[in-house]
Amino acid sequence: MIKLKIDPEFQKQITSLTEDEFNQLEENILSDGEVYEPIITWKGIIVDGHNRWRIIQAHYDMLKDKYHVKEMDFPDRYAAFAWMYRKQLGRRNLTEHQRDYMVGKLYEVRKKSAGGQSGNENASKRCGQNVHIVSNTKQNKRTAENIGAEFGITAKSVQRAEKFSQGIDALKEVSLDAAQKVLNGDFSVTKARISTLPKLEASAIEEVAKAILSGEPIPRQDQKQEQKPRGWTKADREERSKLEAIATDMYDHSTVPKYTVDNLVDDIHLCAEGFVQQIKNTLKDRSTVLTNENKTIVADAIDLYIIKEIEKVRNLLK
């Protein structure tokens, strides 16, 4: 038997089949005596075909020569995820919630694959006098617009789909069955309510999952955060007074040291260091494509675009 690897992170991305759907797939394969659709892999990891592989393993003597594996070449796992979501979106029998979930996940991974920093894809870096030097906002907007054009929806719809997918993922952490029930359309709930789940405590999400599984109305607590105790202690008031005094002092220009050209030079230095570090991070994150053949191309691009951007900054001083 060919040894294929199952990565839980890949496996959980697919839309799970119900027991009846899996049994029907198994019956069809056994009736045909062959697995027509290939098992798609990347570096030996199953990307598409987890259910087919499970059936092959259960009936290996019958199917050992009746299936084939297709190895794909993706630049990174985010690109592999994107391929998975696009393939899922090509299915004709998707529910509205399943479609929105896949669109949201596609947007999420395309943002990462487009150069966002791992673990902090939407962050903006600042330096000097609170000046933005790196921001993915415009890039993310273009990504949303491109996906929207691809599937005939607006960029805002793509961004809302991401929030919905994050809510489903939060629900999956508590109950896969509850999440699947929502995605399959077996429980009526608005996408907006699901989108609020990542902001809730785990106990509140568990209550939502229980309601979904039992078919009961979702409790109102999923729409509001835990209330903080009212009333100020003496220590609270003293601390607040100190903070107010600091805030007042910050806005008192007579207490603020004069900003000199040396300070400006220091801020420019910090900006330059941040810019260089961002380039380093990008090269490190995309090291899989830095072959000997491509290094010259990338070096030329660095020369071209960095010099071009520096010239823009210089022109501001004219």
Side-chain angles (χ1 to χ4, degrees):
M1 181 184 294
I2 298 176
K3 296 296 183 181
L4 300 181
K5 292 179 284 187
I6 295 178
D7 186 325
E9 192 175 2
F10 279 90
Q11 190 173 24
K12 73 179 182 180
Q13 307 303 325
I14 64 173
T15 302
S16 301
L17 298 180
T18 64
E19 184 177 354
D20 288 342
E21 289 172 335
F22 180 84
N23 290 338
Q24 185 62 58
L25 175 63
E26 183 176 39
E27 182 180 327
N28 292 344
I29 288 175
L30 295 179
S31 177
D32 294 337
E34 185 173 352
V35 181
Y36 293 117
E37 195 171 354
I39 308 294
I40 305 298
T41 61
W42 172 62
K43 296 183 178 180
I45 300 170
I46 296 179
V47 174
D48 180 68
H50 291 84
N51 292 310
R52 297 191 296 280
W53 183 241
R54 178 179 160 191
I55 293 169
I56 290 167
Q57 289 180 303
H59 306 277
Y60 189 72
D61 288 341
M62 175 182 177
L63 299 172
K64 60 183 177 181
D65 298 320
K66 303 298 182 180
Y67 74 95
H68 61 286
V69 176
K70 183 178 180 180
E71 174 75 8
M72 300 286 281
D73 183 20
F74 299 112
D76 54 37
R77 66 197 299 110
Y78 296 127
F81 288 152
W83 183 92
M84 292 174 67
Y85 299 136
R86 290 197 80 261
K87 186 176 187 298
Q88 290 287 314
L89 283 164
R91 292 170 50 194
R92 296 182 179 180
N93 60 338
L94 287 179
T95 67
E96 179 185 349
H97 283 352
Q98 287 172 341
R99 183 174 185 271
D100 282 339
Y101 178 76
M102 292 299 169
V103 168
K105 297 298 290 183
L106 179 62
Y107 177 49
E108 184 179 81
V109 298
R110 276 198 185 172
K111 285 192 298 181
K112 294 177 181 178
S113 190
Q117 298 178 55
S118 177
N120 194 19
E121 291 76 28
N122 298 315
S124 296
K125 291 183 178 292
R126 301 169 182 260
C127 69
Q129 295 297 303
N130 209 27
V131 178
H132 290 271
I133 62 167
V134 178
S135 176
N136 288 333
T137 303
K138 291 183 179 178
Q139 181 174 316
N140 290 346
K141 183 179 178 181
R142 287 196 299 270
T143 301
E145 289 172 347
N146 291 338
I147 293 175
E150 188 175 349
F151 295 102
I153 57 178
T154 65
K156 287 290 186 183
S157 295
V158 173
Q159 292 167 334
R160 285 194 292 268
E162 181 189 30
K163 294 184 184 300
F164 171 70
S165 69
Q166 291 168 348
I168 290 293
D169 286 342
L171 189 58
K172 281 184 176 182
E173 292 295 323
V174 171
S175 171
L176 285 173
D177 289 339
Q180 201 60 47
K181 195 171 180 179
V182 172
L183 290 173
N184 290 346
D186 295 330
F187 184 86
S188 180
V189 59
T190 65
K191 286 174 279 189
R193 298 195 76 180
I194 294 298
S195 298
T196 66
L197 296 185
K199 300 178 182 179
L200 302 179
E201 298 291 335
S203 58
I205 301 176
E206 288 175 0
E207 290 299 316
V208 172
K210 288 178 182 178
I212 292 172
L213 292 173
S214 64
E216 299 175 357
I218 294 178
R220 298 293 298 177
Q221 67 178 13
D222 72 314
Q223 293 184 316
K224 57 187 178 182
Q225 298 294 316
E226 181 181 353
Q227 296 294 320
K228 294 182 179 180
R230 297 181 178 180
W232 291 81
T233 64
K234 181 179 179 180
D236 289 334
R237 287 192 291 271
E238 290 176 351
E239 185 65 23
R240 182 171 181 173
S241 296
K242 291 179 183 178
L243 292 174
E244 289 175 345
I246 293 173
T248 301
D249 185 63
M250 287 175 65
Y251 286 98
D252 183 357
H253 294 286
S254 65
T255 65
V256 179
K258 183 179 179 181
Y259 189 80
T260 67
V261 69
D262 290 334
N263 298 134
L264 178 58
V265 170
D266 287 341
D267 285 344
I268 292 173
H269 184 200
L270 288 172
C271 287
E273 287 184 337
F275 178 72
V276 170
Q277 187 59 51
Q278 180 68 5
I279 296 293
K280 288 181 178 179
N281 290 342
T282 300
L283 292 175
K284 181 179 178 181
D285 291 344
R286 303 293 174 258
S287 60
T288 54
V289 299
L290 285 179
T291 62
N292 289 332
E293 179 183 355
N294 291 339
K295 283 182 179 179
T296 301
I297 298 173
V298 175
D300 289 343
I302 290 174
D303 289 341
L304 172 64
Y305 293 115
I306 291 181
I307 292 174
K308 184 178 179 180
E309 294 305 317
I310 289 175
E311 286 301 320
K312 288 181 182 179
V313 176
R314 284 183 178 276
N315 289 335
L316 297 175
L317 302 178
K318 293 182 179 179

